[in-house]
């Protein structure tokens, strides 16, 4: 299940939505949360309440992404499904910080295909935390951890918080080497 909490319809419609349209609807479903109209106080609250409301509809893998994420193929989705099916006890994303404080990512700007960070990866890399732009975990891990609405009572750092919570519970976080787009241009 792809879940996006958005606040800019134009960006959603020009980036994420066209990408979601290429997905096989038999494989995944999509939940869009309009944060401007729903009245949530934080991203953590928006995700937790929406997932609770749709618990019977969501799949075994939860894929959280921003409105300014895009992709032009679904290979990465198959990689995420395989990765989380083989080992559901992890959180994976596309940008993160390792123990040395280095940002690792293969994210690119959509228009010019330039890498956003200086440190690209060739294989799955363990990290301390992930960026909120795009990450996934199993429904089981989410149900165990959930987003902390007290700690993250705003619209930022909810992926960082859930990664720290996961680490305390023996659940690792990883950055995947797949290339997807974050933002149209730099």
């Amino acid at each position: 299940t792809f879940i996006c909490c958005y606040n800019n319809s134009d960006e959603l419609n020009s980036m994420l939505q066209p990408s979601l349209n290429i997905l096989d609807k038999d494989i995944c479903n999509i939940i869009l949360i309009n944060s401007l109209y729903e009245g949530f106080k934080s991203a953590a609250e928006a995700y937790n309440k929406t997932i609770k409301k749709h618990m019977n509809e969501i799949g075994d893998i939860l894929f959280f992404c921003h409105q300014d994420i895009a992709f032009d193929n679904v290979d990465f989705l198959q990689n995420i499904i395989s990765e989380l099916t083989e080992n559901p006890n992890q959180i994976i994303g596309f940008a993160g910080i390792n123990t040395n404080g280095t940002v690792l990512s293969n994210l690119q700007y959509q228009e010019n295909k330039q890498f956003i960070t200086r440190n690209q990866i060739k294989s799955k890399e363990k990290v301390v935390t992930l960026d909120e732009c795009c990450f996934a975990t199993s429904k089981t891990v989410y149900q165990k951890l959930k987003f902390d609405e007290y700690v993250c009572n705003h619209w930022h750092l909810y992926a960082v918080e859930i990664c720290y919570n996961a680490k305390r519970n023996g659940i690792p976080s990883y950055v995947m080497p797949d290339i997807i787009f974050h933002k149209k241009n730099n």
Side-chain angles (χ1 to χ4, degrees):
T1 300
F2 277 81
I3 307 171
C4 174
C5 189
Y6 70 96
N7 64 2
N8 182 325
S9 295
D10 291 339
E11 200 166 56
L12 174 74
N13 292 330
S14 70
M15 290 205 64
L16 182 61
Q17 195 64 55
S19 298
L20 295 174
N21 290 339
I22 68 171
L23 297 175
D24 182 346
K25 302 305 185 253
D26 293 331
I27 295 175
C28 64
N29 58 0
I30 300 161
I31 299 173
L32 301 175
I33 307 165
N34 186 331
S35 64
L36 297 175
Y37 298 108
E38 298 289 336
F40 296 116
K41 293 176 256 167
S42 67
E45 178 188 27
Y47 284 127
N48 286 341
K49 287 187 175 178
T50 301
I51 290 169
K52 183 177 180 179
K53 178 180 174 183
H54 296 279
M55 187 56 75
N56 295 329
E57 303 163 31
I58 63 173
D60 293 332
I61 297 170
L62 302 179
F63 199 104
F64 301 93
C65 55
H66 281 177
Q67 63 203 13
D68 59 355
I69 290 294
F71 45 91
D72 56 8
N73 68 65
V74 294
D75 292 343
F76 85 96
L77 177 60
Q78 291 304 323
N79 292 341
I80 298 295
I81 291 170
S82 295
E83 187 69 36
L84 289 171
T85 300
E86 290 174 23
N87 181 6
N89 199 41
Q90 62 181 325
I91 303 174
I92 54 181
F94 297 93
I97 296 178
N98 66 14
T99 56
N100 298 329
T102 303
V103 177
L104 304 174
S105 176
N106 287 352
L107 290 172
Q108 294 180 346
Y109 294 108
Q110 188 177 31
E111 287 183 353
N112 60 18
K113 310 290 190 272
Q114 288 182 335
F115 288 105
I116 293 175
T117 67
R118 283 182 252 159
N119 304 296
Q120 284 74 59
I121 57 175
K122 296 198 184 308
S123 61
K124 178 179 164 181
E125 296 278 341
K126 191 170 188 177
V127 292
V128 177
T129 63
L130 293 166
D131 186 276
E132 286 75 23
C133 66
C134 193
F135 65 100
T137 194
S138 66
K139 184 177 180 178
T140 306
V141 166
Y142 168 79
Q143 288 176 309
K144 181 176 183 177
L145 302 175
K146 297 192 176 64
F147 294 106
D148 188 323
E149 295 175 36
Y150 177 75
V151 171
C152 288
N153 59 356
H154 44 73
W155 296 94
H156 306 283
L157 302 175
Y158 51 91
V160 172
E161 178 277 320
I162 206 167
C163 288
Y164 281 134
N165 190 5
K167 185 175 181 176
R168 283 193 305 273
N169 285 278
I171 301 167
S173 299
Y174 298 94
V175 170
M176 300 300 286
D178 302 89
I179 293 175
I180 62 173
F181 306 115
H182 180 41
K183 303 184 189 235
K184 280 210 182 268
N185 53 41
N186 54 352

